[in-house]
Amino acid sequence: MSEHFQPKEFASKDGQPSPYPLVVQQGLYDLLEMLRAKFGKAIYINSGYRSPEHNAAVGGVKNSYHVQGMAADIRPRHGKDFEHELGRLKIIANKECPGGVGFYKNFVHVDFGPYRRWNG
């Protein structure tokens, strides 16, 4: 848990319980707090922890960091400046995230695995 992010935000969309005490591992909370501080605004979680079943249903890779409680798909607040703010968030994540960063049309994937970058 952290100042700006609560475990319920990371719950698997299929309702399956997480094996982690705080739904996701503490390193993810720390990463997201750092990104939020650099972004200067709220960050919203599209997808945090995924049960293996939910991960398979959405086409995630078998050993996804989402299943390990180490990843989140994040976005800025929806609104008239969404595209601009998403662009800012992508730049910040690319610069500041020591792990994986995936760039997608409507969100950014971040994790605290090894350093990698990709377009989804």
Side-chain angles (χ1 to χ4, degrees), residues 1-11 22-23 29 45:
M1 207 171 351
S2 68
E3 181 180 356
H4 298 101
F5 301 98
Q6 300 299 313
K8 65 183 178 182
E9 295 177 80
F10 297 91
L22 297 175
V23 183
Y29 288 106
I45 311 299

Side-chain angles (χ1 to χ4, degrees), residues 53-114:
E53 297 81 9
H54 181 64
N55 189 61
V58 299
V61 297
K62 186 173 182 165
N63 45 340
S64 167
Y65 284 105
H66 285 279
V67 175
Q68 299 174 51
M70 297 172 59
D73 296 338
I74 61 175
R75 63 168 176 81
R77 181 177 178 268
H78 286 297
K80 65 181 175 108
D81 294 332
F82 180 79
E83 288 184 22
H84 173 74
E85 293 297 302
L86 181 62
R88 281 188 57 236
L89 186 57
K90 287 177 178 182
I91 290 167
I92 292 166
N94 187 47
K95 180 179 178 189
E96 302 293 338
C97 183
V101 179
F103 307 101
Y104 294 84
K105 182 179 179 183
N106 295 314
F107 65 91
V108 182
H109 168 99
V110 295
D111 65 57
F112 65 100

